[in-house]
Amino acid sequence: MPEIKLTIAPGTFKELKKPPYATGTVQSAIGKVWQVPAELTTADKFGIFRCRTSAYRNDYKVEPGLYAIGQPGGASDIIVTANYKYSFDVVRRALKGMSAWILVLNTKGINVWCAAGKGTFGTAELIKRMQLAQLDKLSERKTIILPQLGAVGISAHEVRKATGFKVVYGPVHAKDLRAFISAGHKATKEMRTMEFPITSRMALVPMEVIPMLKKYPFFALIVLLAFGLEPSGILFKNAIGGGLPFLAFGLGSIFTGAALTPALLPFIPTRSFAVKGWITGVVGTGLLMSAFPHFNTILLGITLLFFPVASSYIALQFTGSTTFTGMSGVNKELKTSIPIYLFSVAVSVLLLIVYKIIEWRVL
Amino acid sequence: MKYISKVVSLKLNAEKCVGCGMCLEVCPHNVLRMEGRKAVIADLDGCMECGACMTNCAFGAITVNKGVGCAAAIINSLLYGGEPSCDCSGGKGRDSCC
């Protein structure tokens, strides 16, 4: 069989072995191009699940370049996306039954919106990929469709100046691509708006909770040491017996900050994430405390001071995952909350020392 | 859903605006709307300062202090210097934000 020269190479024409997600090739004005199916395999779907739950997503990529869906020609739409395989998969799934080109930019395996913020899904990379894929020869339409959220990194007028191609911003979500194309490249207000419904928020919760749970053993160790430490050595009985409530409150703070606050986000009073997290933290800690009715006054103080604040800090991290928080707002929140966090931790540690001193009867 | 009010840095220079409507197209939060033949800021608090409108305004009519609205990114930049960015995780295999 003669070797096929393909256009998906990061450089110019280069022989590349068939990517696992390609099913064949299509002939085009610039030679053969890898064809990909619109149907996702079980492995693709499992990949999406792993991306939602683990660091698997940090290295889940496709080769940048040009791909074909169906049997596209010179008049077919060209849709641009990132080389995060999850992004690529939702785009090809959205184009089921259609014929189109997909131009994949090298975003280092990062999704469109984040990559656009970093600039890797950017004007320079787009122009470069358009030239490498020889879009001027491939397409008669001189129009490319970009994801709307890519606009953060792409300057449409600069792309036009450099390539002669008109940039059309498509919908926010790939699932609306078909309707957008059928309507003659027109997006409705809904397609243009980034909502943040409970389903999206819950999809983000695993990656809020799991990294926190990985840090939890350090917290647990400190608690067990603090409670187990005696002048004579470390007592396991004291470590477990005394530390148990705090271990429970710690888990509670992770739950209220990383899961409950995101889930109930619009229903918790105030716009501040720090305050929202503190409110859920107070409620969560309060409920857990009822399981430990005979609590020392100093420990009670530490509990009420530290754990709601921990929940607040964890909830504030969720600003990085939302679709609507801006830098000026987060800056303002941090300016007031960081001093409060530091103060609360310092006072909690002092109180714990006081508690130990009283417990040891050294004074 | 809205975030902290009266802090957003978005500004629109009506004199430079030609009313092409590009900013309305790229804004994911309907912050801008057309009033006559000019774009106006209709919902300042709705802005997340992503900068899409500024980057796509061919006439330089929009300015915004573009950046990431992410507490971890800002804390990292306070601790280690540099602009706040999503690169808080670094290498392979570690927990990355996006």
Side-chain angles (χ1 to χ4, degrees):
Chain A
M1 225 178 88
E3 280 184 322
I4 309 167
K5 298 210 171 203
L6 294 156
T7 57
I8 72 158
T12 49
F13 284 86
K14 191 174 159 191
E15 287 153 39
L16 272 176
K17 67 174 195 254
K18 181 175 152 309
Y21 38 87
T23 45
T25 56
V26 296
Q27 196 58 247
S28 77
I30 56 160
K32 290 193 173 174
V33 177
W34 288 121
Q35 186 187 41
V36 290
E39 290 81 21
L40 300 192
T41 62
T42 310
D44 294 332
K45 288 175 193 163
F46 185 55
I48 288 177
F49 170 76
R50 291 183 71 183
C51 286
R52 283 299 194 185
T53 49
S54 72
Y56 185 66
R57 60 184 180 173
N58 294 351
D59 192 23
Y60 195 51
K61 299 172 187 168
V62 294
E63 195 67 36
L66 189 69
Y67 296 89
I69 282 264
Q71 294 288 335
S76 301
D77 285 305
I78 304 165
I79 289 130
V80 182
T81 191
N83 82 322
Y84 180 34
K85 186 159 184 292
Y86 187 167
S87 308
F88 179 70
D89 284 356
V90 296
V91 168
R92 62 191 174 98
R93 184 174 61 189
L95 298 172
K96 196 173 175 177
M98 301 171 73
S99 286
W101 303 106
I102 302 178
L103 182 68
V104 177
L105 306 192
N106 184 6
T107 59
K108 299 175 179 150
I110 304 290
N111 71 73
V112 170
W113 208 7
C114 288
K118 290 180 197 201
T120 46
F121 192 99
T123 308
E125 166 67 11
L126 174 62
I127 293 170
K128 179 180 142 196
R129 290 289 155 199
M130 289 171 75
Q131 286 164 350
L132 288 175
Q134 305 180 73
L135 291 196
D136 50 334
K137 280 193 215 158
L138 178 85
S139 172
E140 299 147 14
R141 289 183 79 154
K142 305 287 177 238
T143 299
I144 48 168
I145 300 174
L146 269 95
Q148 186 190 325
L149 296 182
V152 174
I154 304 282
S155 174
H157 52 277
E158 281 175 30
V159 174
R160 183 163 209 169
K161 220 186 287 172
T163 63
F165 274 68
K166 186 182 175 207
V167 169
V168 176
Y169 285 110
V172 162
H173 294 289
K175 66 174 170 61
D176 295 325
L177 262 173
R178 177 191 300 273
F180 172 82
I181 291 168
S182 315
H185 296 177
K186 290 268 176 304
T188 61
K189 193 178 168 190
E190 287 71 35
M191 288 183 201
R192 288 252 175 266
T193 308
M194 188 70 199
E195 301 286 357
F196 201 38
I198 178 109
T199 45
S200 304
R201 300 198 303 272
M202 292 317 287
L204 294 164
V205 162
M207 282 311 281
E208 297 295 319
V209 174
I210 293 165
M212 282 298 160
L213 287 181
K214 285 186 182 165
K215 289 175 189 158
Y216 181 74
F218 295 103
F219 164 79
L221 190 71
I222 292 168
V223 167
L224 292 175
L225 277 178
F227 281 95
L229 199 63
E230 295 295 321
S232 54
I234 292 172
L235 261 182
F236 282 105
K237 192 176 137 249
N238 290 5
I240 304 293
L244 194 66
F246 274 29
L247 294 183
F249 300 151
L251 280 180
S253 295
I254 292 178
F255 174 74
T256 56
L260 198 61
T261 306
L264 301 179
L265 200 62
F267 309 109
I268 307 167
T270 80
R271 290 183 178 187
S272 155
F273 279 50
V275 177
K276 282 174 191 279
W278 186 81
I279 292 172
T280 58
V282 166
V283 173
T285 309
L287 287 174
L288 281 174
M289 276 169 64
S290 59
F292 307 97
H294 307 292
F295 224 41
N296 171 293
T297 316
I298 297 174
L299 294 183
L300 187 75
I302 298 174
T303 304
L304 288 175
L305 185 66
F306 181 80
F307 292 100
V309 159
S311 172
S312 164
Y313 176 79
I314 294 168
L316 196 48
Q317 305 299 308
F318 193 60
T319 51
S321 297
T322 69
T323 59
F324 65 98
T325 55
M327 194 162 72
S328 300
V330 178
N331 266 327
K332 191 180 173 189
E333 282 217 66
L334 286 174
K335 226 170 258 174
T336 39
S337 53
I338 287 179
I340 295 174
Y341 294 156
L342 293 176
F343 174 79
S344 304
V345 171
V347 173
S348 298
V349 170
L350 279 176
L351 284 174
L352 192 63
I353 292 169
V354 170
Y355 170 77
K356 292 304 287 189
I357 287 170
I358 294 171
E359 191 192 44
W360 291 350
R361 301 175 202 281
V362 285
L363 287 185
Chain B
M1 262 173 271
K2 296 270 166 65
Y3 196 40
I4 313 285
S5 61
K6 294 178 190 134
V7 290
V8 170
S9 57
L10 179 74
K11 289 193 173 59
L12 194 149
N13 183 339
E15 278 174 32
K16 288 186 182 171
C17 177
V18 299
C20 70
M22 194 62 170
C23 52
L24 277 74
E25 273 200 21
V26 295
C27 178
H29 291 297
N30 298 309
V31 170
L32 301 125
R33 72 179 145 84
M34 295 302 285
E35 214 161 76
R37 306 183 74 174
K38 300 266 183 194
V40 292
I41 298 171
D43 178 18
L44 190 66
D45 286 354
C47 174
M48 62 176 294
E49 302 176 316
C50 72
C53 52
M54 174 171 71
T55 313
N56 283 278
C57 179
F59 309 94
I62 298 179
T63 54
V64 57
N65 184 15
K66 162 181 174 174
V68 288
C70 168
I74 295 170
I75 292 171
N76 274 332
S77 94
L78 290 173
L79 289 176
Y80 307 111
E83 285 288 302
S85 82
C86 295
D87 289 320
C88 52
S89 57
K92 264 186 207 174
R94 296 174 58 189
D95 294 319
S96 161
C97 62
C98 55

